Amino acid sequence: MDQTDRLKIAFITPEMAPLAKTGGLADVTGALPKFLSQESHLEVAVWLPFYREIRNKNLKLKSAASNLRLNLFPDETKNTFSICEYQADGFKVYLIQNDYYFDRDYLYGTPDGDYPDNGLRFAFFCLAALQSFKPLNWWPDLIHAHDWQSALTLAYLKHLLNKDDLYKNARSLFTIHNLAYQGIFPPEILGQAGLPDYLFNPEDMEFYGQVNYLKAGLLYAEAISTVSPTYSQEIQRPEFGFGLDGVLRKRSDRLFGILNGIDYQEWNPATDPALPAHYRPDALEGKSVCRQELLRAFNFEPAGQQPVIGLVSRLAGQKGFDLLVKSLDEILKRDFYLIILGTGEKQIQDMLIQAARKYPERFGLKIAFDDRLARLIYAGSDFFLIPSRYEPCGLTQMYSLRYGTIPIVRSTGGLKDSVEGFNPQRLEGNGFLFEKYETNALLAALDLALSFYRQEPYWPKLIDNAFKSDFSWKKSASSYYELYLKILSS
Ligand code: ADP
Ligand code: GLC
């Protein structure tokens, strides 16, 4: 197929692994374009802010355009940008460079709180991304925007650039990775972002007296997707809707749920350079070496035979730490090691630090963002715990399964769609689930899981089932491709 015949898809996203990451969104936008680009009919490019985190990586970059301006603000430093180009595996990444907005220590804010100008920072990013198509001479057939930070692209397309023929033909898909984060700002932000005042009404971007960026994505995109089939249903109910379930119900005929995948090349216990030893389903000795190394890293007895339960997570309300900490006295009556790696909200951090002090022989805690250690935890643990209150998809259960580690998860969102409860009679299933967000439910799942630990014939079969679970991107990438075609033909 001729290059020019290929459908062009522009990913607009605030994160992309390995360049800039705070959570699973980055893994998805780092991997999905790579797998879509293998499809001969598609050409994908990604737009991302040029954060300090990326600058510090000293990547090989090319200048693609410079001295561009938006004319939103009178102040030059807040108005101009350049575009740097990075060649990723099979696709290009265009980095929007404005040092005033993006050359900062963090992506969204310090541990004490969000940057106060996030509304402007991501309005700038969205408009700059759209206005870079001309200088780059790259016009997408479809714009695929991710989460609230990219949602204003849809508002700009529909309400600012709609008279421009070049933009008029672009179709759009908005993906919700997490409905809880909406980008809510005071009413003045509309004018400051260059959007018309008439959008401040309940049928548009107004939301309880404020402006809601995510709502623009939900209303103005031709289709909406979210990252698991179960979550696509859950968010249409008030308990999971964070005030937007009504909007989503209205658009339910254009709302799709596609389960995320993981990159099986990047995450492979047989080759992962972060691991002290490698292993595969038919040769598991390396997993024991990883286990010992993990116990050593947390100053536990490396030869300890008790089960190791790992957890790697953003420290956020969503992830179920209140339930975990509340249940700890009961949980730690059982004989196992609990190892947690996480970073995020200070309150959860403090709660965990206190709990770890109380159980130094059994509970290992590291407050950090550390990809290497995360991989050692996926590999070296026997079980992996995810007690989330809600979980749009969740990737850590998929990484665990890929590394032969058995997930114990709350049955919600994508966790429900990817973990199948173990059935000891039929020797089927790859993990353990619990329904109620309660200590007793968590304990029951934990006890059931522990009862099979190193027990023949269950344990080898469980590990085998984990390895056989398939969350490669192949399936999900083709679902996105089909969705793109559906949007383009409607
Ligand atoms: P979410 O996007 O809600 O944070 P996911 O399960 O989709 O949850 O993805 C989390 C991703 O972030 C995984 O790649 C996980 O390994 C990574 N991660 C989370 N916390 C840490 C941490 N403290 N250190 C290293 N990696 C982390
Ligand atoms: C969000 C969700 C998580 C999901 C990830 C990638 O951060 O919290 O469940 O896996 O996005 O889609």
Side-chain angles (χ1 to χ4, degrees), residues 21-28 177-178 181 260 267 312-315 318-319 341-343 366-375 378 386 391-397 399:
K21 165 165 170 174
T22 69
L25 164 65
D27 297 25
V28 172
H177 293 264
N178 195 331
Y181 301 89
N260 285 331
W267 298 84
V312 177
S313 179
R314 283 186 298 117
L315 303 183
Q318 158 195 359
K319 300 291 180 180
L341 167 66
T343 177
K366 176 98 191 254
I367 301 290
F369 194 91
D370 184 339
D371 184 60
R372 212 180 163 78
L373 182 58
R375 288 165 186 266
Y378 294 124
I386 315 182
E391 195 61 71
C393 178
L395 300 175
T396 59
Q397 77 282 13
Y399 294 136

Side-chain angles (χ1 to χ4, degrees), residues 15 22-29 146-147 175-179 181 226-228 231 258 260 314 318-319 388 390-398 414-415 473 480:
E15 297 188 22
T22 69
L25 164 65
D27 297 25
V28 172
T29 55
H146 299 262
D147 273 357
T175 296
I176 309 164
H177 293 264
N178 195 331
L179 191 67
Y181 301 89
T226 186
V227 288
S228 69
Y231 193 61
I258 300 177
N260 285 331
R314 283 186 298 117
Q318 158 195 359
K319 300 291 180 180
S388 299
Y390 72 92
E391 195 61 71
C393 178
L395 300 175
T396 59
Q397 77 282 13
M398 297 182 183
L415 297 172
W473 265 111
Y480 275 105

